[in-house]
Amino acid sequence: MNNHFEPYVRNKRDLKVPYISCQDYTNLEQASKLIPALKQINQSDRHLADADNAHTYILRSNNDDDIHKSIKYGIWTSSKENNEKLNAKYLEAQQEGIPVYLFFSVVRSGQFVGVAKLTSGYKEESFQYWWEIKKWKGHFNVQWLYVKDVPNKHFEHLRNSDNIEVTRSRDGVFLSWETGKQMMKIFEEFSDKKSILNDFTVIDEREQALRQYKYQMQQQRNQQQYYPYYPYQYYDYQQYQQYPQHYQQQQQYQNDYWQQPQK
């Protein structure tokens, strides 16, 4: 039996995270009452750059939406190779008693968007609402420390472990603590209040649409054990967004089919 909706079936390895939101994310005092993770963001008295040692990495996201979910729900994941590196480094750091910091940038944004601390090793459960459905497996827990839009020009004098400017780093590149310390100090001292938090209410709408889409797929899977093949039955979320009218017509066609008497 060929079931085209099998990828949307929930299983025991799904990470179940309830949807949360607030009206004004830039008011951290208000927002943190609904989203506890925001209580830790942009505290001015940390002085993390003064630490003697830490492990640091640069991570690059393909979009703002995944950064948005990482901040709200305190999770992250990457490619299999990067996940293995991060897990190994986290276990090593636990033995050494030092932290692992992650500097985040969005591809083609021209800036770094924040700093997070890795707070767990790799876990098998996969979050179902990353922007690219089905691409990312498992997750880490992270605690976001700074959420600020810091332009690349403030980091151009720094280089990573490959002796390349940190602003041109690949996803998952390791930094020496000497470089990481300077990046951390820039984040601590940067005063511009502009950040991805300003866009959270708009990105919330996209997350709601994605969750609704996944919910509809799951409901259909639960109601019917088998779907006949239709030309555009199997979508990813981006195709659904691009062709919403055709998607609705297709769903009506399926509903009409199943309401007919079956031989």
Side-chain angles (χ1 to χ4, degrees), residues 103-152:
F103 294 92
F104 283 86
S105 174
V106 177
V107 174
R108 293 186 294 275
S109 68
Q111 61 191 11
F112 281 85
V113 297
V115 186
K117 178 182 177 182
L118 193 62
T119 58
S120 81
Y122 179 77
K123 300 180 180 181
E124 293 290 340
E125 296 84 3
S126 297
F127 182 61
Q128 296 301 301
Y129 304 108
W130 298 120
W131 183 249
E132 296 172 277
I133 293 178
K134 302 181 299 163
K135 182 174 181 179
W136 309 112
K137 304 298 181 184
H139 75 283
F140 296 89
N141 293 120
V142 296
Q143 174 191 344
W144 281 78
L145 306 173
Y146 295 103
V147 179
K148 302 178 181 180
D149 289 351
V150 185
N152 282 347

Side-chain angles (χ1 to χ4, degrees), residues 86-105:
L86 290 174
N87 188 59
K89 189 60 69 174
Y90 176 78
L91 296 177
E92 178 185 330
Q94 288 294 99
Q95 294 292 325
E96 298 171 343
I98 61 176
V100 179
Y101 295 125
L102 312 172
F103 294 92
F104 283 86
S105 174

